């Protein structure tokens, strides 16, 4: 059995965490794509093809995790040189496909359950092409299936309100026969060529749909990483304290907490799980770490800081401050007194301004608690205040005492100019 993992997109909606493909962001010490590969292995898929972008970042990052010869399966890589859609990405793997194969995104961590059911569906119905479907209450936002019981008749992409053929949207996991490539080559090349090829196949051959009730992970926008983090911690986190960790005697550790190699935790710190603390992290005196916080390797949390429901990538350093419901990219530095506000004064839903193909759009996050999301290698001076739902790019410098209400683009120096301050002797 073979599977094609699609990891070549630009991840444009995932700004400011899109310096590399979003599947390379780490939770509990592993890139997200690792969990999908492990799930595929459990489903009996031992021949995996990863479609990556021209920078080959997935291959480079994942090299140390694959170890295919020892794990009993092989991983191969192909390149999609231009972002021309899912169909074009799948086509890059054609020469490596031997028979029926799965196609999925790199963040389907529950693949072992779904793929087994799709195979059973294929065997029972004698259909060679199986789609995955799920009910939605916003059908106009998705590709919808027109059905005759469990048989797919048509696929309509984002129909007008009131003209929906059903409330079953197509989910990004496909079980395809090898001859599907022939159907794909018969349609016009475009961003929706995959959907056109599926419609053509439905017209000529039996196509069935497996409808699931369980919600599948989504990583369309960067704040979706919080739900993914919680899902993975609930499934994989095991309480463990490394023998090389140095923990002061009066440190309080409650719940499921993983503490890696060479971690140092100083006096009066409190850690309330579930939490993950990676290798070589430092937790300062009187700090509080709690509730689904993920600290990757070499993170430093300064004295008297509070960190709750946050995701820190590698080598992030903070001093004192409050960090809630926030994500920080690799290499960020946060000055003393930095505060991330994570709720609105009226406690309403937090809107975020997402950049999609250089266009700024207000997006409903569905969250009433959301701090900031910061790209790689950005820095704040002392006493900065960062408002809810703000996105800050990579390589930014935010001056001391600044108050940030709006997004900050990559490579920007930002500071709040205070007017009316008199200079001279006090």
């Amino acid at each position: 059995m073979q599977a094609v993992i699609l990891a070549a997109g630009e991840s444009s909606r995932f700004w400011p965490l899109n310096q590399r493909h979003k599947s390379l962001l780490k939770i509990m010490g592993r890139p997200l794509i690792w969990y999908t590969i492990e799930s595929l292995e459990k489903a009996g898929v031992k021949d995996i093809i990863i479609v990556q972008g021209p920078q080959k970042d997935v291959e480079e990052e994942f090299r140390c995790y694959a170890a295919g010869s020892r794990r009993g399966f092989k991983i191969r890589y192909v390149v999609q040189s231009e972002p021309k859609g899912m169909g074009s990405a799948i086509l890059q793997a054609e020469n490596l496909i031997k028979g029926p194969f799965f196609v999925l995104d790199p963040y389907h961590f529950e693949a072992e359950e779904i793929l087994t059911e799709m195979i059973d569906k294929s065997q029972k119905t004698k259909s060679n092409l199986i789609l995955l479907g799920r009910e939605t209450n916003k059908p106009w936002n998705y590709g919808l299936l027109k059905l005759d019981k469990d048989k797919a008749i048509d696929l309509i992409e984002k129909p007008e309100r009131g003209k929906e053929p059903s409330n079953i949207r197509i989910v990004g996991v496909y079980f395809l026969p090898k001859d599907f490539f022939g159907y794909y080559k018969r349609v016009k090349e475009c961003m929706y060529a995959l959907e056109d090829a599926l419609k053509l196949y439905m017209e000529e051959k039996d196509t069935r749909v497996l409808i699931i009730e369980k919600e599948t992970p989504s990583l369309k926008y960067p704040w979706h990483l919080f739900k993914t983090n919680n899902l993975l911690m609930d499934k994989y986190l095991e309480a463990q304290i490394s023998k090389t960790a140095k923990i002061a005697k009066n440190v309080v550790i409650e719940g499921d907490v993983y503490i890696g190699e060479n971690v140092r935790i100083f006096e009066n710190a409190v850690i309330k799980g579930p939490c993950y603390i990676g290798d070589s992290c430092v937790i300062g005196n009187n700090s509080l770490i709690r509730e689904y916080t993920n600290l990757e390797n070499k993170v430093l949390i300064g004295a008297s800081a509070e960190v709750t429901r946050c995701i820190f990538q590698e080598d992030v350093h903070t001093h004192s401050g409050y960090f809630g419901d926030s994500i920080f990219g690799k290499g960020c530095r946060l000055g003393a007194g930095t505060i991330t506000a994570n709720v609105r004064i009226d406690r309403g839903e937090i809107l975020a301004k997402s950049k999609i193909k250089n266009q700024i759009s207000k997006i409903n996050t569905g969250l009433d608690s959301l701090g900031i999301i910061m790209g790689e290698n950005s820095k704040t001076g002392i006493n900065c205040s960062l408002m809810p739902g703000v996105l800050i790019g990579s390589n930014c410098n935010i001056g001391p005492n600044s108050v940030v209400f709006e997004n900050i683009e990559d490579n920007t120096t930002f500071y709040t100019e205070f007017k009316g301050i008199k200079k001279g002797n006090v």
Side-chain angles (χ1 to χ4, degrees):
M1 190 64 66
Q2 294 178 288
V4 177
I5 300 178
L6 305 179
E10 296 178 314
S11 304
S12 59
R13 289 182 174 87
F14 225 69
W15 181 84
L17 301 177
N18 64 340
Q19 290 73 37
R20 297 184 300 163
H21 194 270
K22 58 189 175 184
S23 67
L24 300 180
L25 288 162
K26 291 183 178 179
I27 299 294
M28 295 188 294
R30 302 288 189 182
L32 296 176
I33 193 172
W34 183 89
Y35 295 101
T36 298
I37 288 178
E38 184 177 72
S39 188
L40 287 171
E41 181 187 14
K42 292 177 181 176
V45 179
K46 297 187 178 182
D47 188 350
I48 298 169
I49 302 157
I50 298 177
V51 184
Q52 59 182 337
Q55 67 275 26
K56 298 183 179 181
D57 52 356
V58 178
E59 182 176 1
E60 182 64 29
E61 174 65 37
F62 199 68
R63 197 186 305 267
C64 60
Y65 300 101
S69 60
R70 295 194 299 273
R71 294 172 64 91
F73 64 85
K74 58 184 175 182
I75 299 176
R76 291 174 287 178
Y77 302 89
V78 295
V79 173
Q80 184 185 24
S81 57
E82 297 180 54
K84 293 183 177 180
M86 289 178 59
S88 172
I90 298 169
L91 190 63
Q92 309 312 308
E94 181 182 13
N95 292 336
L96 300 178
I97 296 298
K98 301 174 183 177
F101 63 103
F102 290 98
V103 175
L104 68 165
D105 294 318
Y107 41 83
H108 280 287
F109 319 121
E110 77 300 346
E112 71 268 25
E113 305 164 18
I114 291 176
L115 269 56
T116 300
E117 292 185 44
M118 295 180 81
I119 292 172
D120 289 344
K121 186 80 171 179
S122 176
Q123 292 174 343
K124 290 177 180 177
T125 62
K126 308 300 182 183
S127 175
N128 293 323
L129 196 154
I130 305 296
L131 302 174
L132 194 65
R134 186 174 182 273
E135 289 187 4
T136 175
N137 57 4
K138 296 181 179 179
W140 50 86
N141 288 337
Y142 301 98
L144 292 186
L145 291 162
K146 183 178 181 180
L147 300 173
D148 179 6
K149 296 182 180 179
D150 68 337
K151 185 176 181 179
I153 305 299
D154 199 359
L155 172 61
I156 295 89
E157 187 66 29
K158 296 180 180 178
E160 294 181 28
R161 295 195 186 201
K163 296 184 178 181
E164 303 89 352
S166 72
N167 65 339
I168 302 298
R169 68 179 180 91
I170 195 167
V171 178
V173 181
Y174 309 84
F175 185 47
L176 304 176
K178 183 174 173 59
D179 68 355
F180 180 75
F181 290 108
Y183 286 83
Y184 182 82
K185 292 174 183 177
R186 290 167 57 187
V187 303
K188 183 179 180 181
E189 186 70 51
C190 64
M191 289 300 291
Y192 292 106
L194 173 62
E195 289 78 4
D196 292 340
L198 288 171
K199 292 174 67 171
L200 181 61
Y201 193 97
M202 292 174 196
E203 294 173 3
E204 299 184 7
K205 289 189 176 181
D206 187 82
T207 304
R208 301 294 173 130
V209 180
L210 173 67
I211 299 176
I212 58 172
E213 295 182 2
K214 185 176 180 180
E215 184 178 3
T216 55
S218 172
L219 277 180
K220 188 174 183 180
Y221 297 107
W223 50 87
H224 291 160
L225 192 60
F226 292 111
K227 183 176 288 188
T228 296
N229 175 72
N230 295 359
L231 183 154
L232 290 174
M233 281 196 178
D234 288 342
K235 186 173 183 178
Y236 291 103
L237 182 66
E238 295 182 3
Q240 176 182 318
I241 299 177
S242 170
K243 293 181 180 179
T244 60
K246 296 182 179 180
I247 302 173
K249 290 182 179 180
N250 59 348
V251 168
V252 175
I253 299 176
E254 298 178 356
D256 291 332
V257 177
Y258 177 96
I259 298 176
E261 301 287 336
N262 302 309
V263 170
R264 297 178 65 192
I265 305 179
F266 288 88
E267 289 78 8
N268 299 314
V270 176
I271 303 172
K272 296 186 176 184
C275 289
Y276 175 90
I277 300 174
D279 297 342
S280 302
C281 288
V282 177
I283 310 298
N285 305 65
N286 305 303
S287 290
L288 171 60
I289 314 292
R290 62 188 177 95
E291 294 176 24
Y292 289 102
T293 288
N294 181 88
L295 307 180
E296 292 298 323
N297 295 346
K298 298 182 180 179
V299 168
L300 186 154
I301 303 298
S304 301
E306 180 179 353
V307 181
T308 180
R309 299 181 300 275
C310 284
I311 300 170
F312 287 65
Q313 295 298 289
E314 302 103 315
D315 193 35
V316 176
H317 292 193
T318 78
H319 290 275
S320 61
Y322 174 74
F323 309 94
D325 301 288
S326 297
I327 305 173
F328 298 94
K330 184 177 181 180
C332 289
R333 298 290 185 268
L334 307 169
T338 296
I339 301 294
T340 63
N342 59 340
V343 295
R344 290 172 30 162
I345 292 176
D346 62 3
R347 301 306 192 259
E349 179 184 354
I350 295 172
L351 302 179
K353 292 183 178 179
S354 181
K355 183 170 68 173
I356 304 172
K357 295 182 179 180
N358 296 320
Q359 298 293 322
I360 303 298
S361 301
K362 283 188 176 181
I363 307 294
N364 295 321
T365 66
L367 303 173
D368 55 15
S369 184
L370 174 62
I372 66 123
I373 299 174
M374 180 181 285
E376 296 183 358
N377 301 313
S378 287
K379 303 177 178 65
T380 69
I382 62 170
N383 298 322
C384 288
S385 299
L386 313 175
M387 296 298 109
V390 166
L391 310 181
I392 298 172
S394 295
N395 306 308
C396 293
N397 294 309
I398 301 174
N401 292 307
S402 292
V403 182
V404 182
F405 286 94
E406 299 289 340
N407 290 359
I408 298 177
E409 293 295 318
D410 296 337
N411 307 306
T412 299
T413 296
F414 174 95
Y415 64 93
T416 299
E417 182 178 355
F418 291 96
K419 298 180 179 180
I421 297 178
K422 296 181 178 180
K423 297 182 179 180
N425 294 329
V426 178

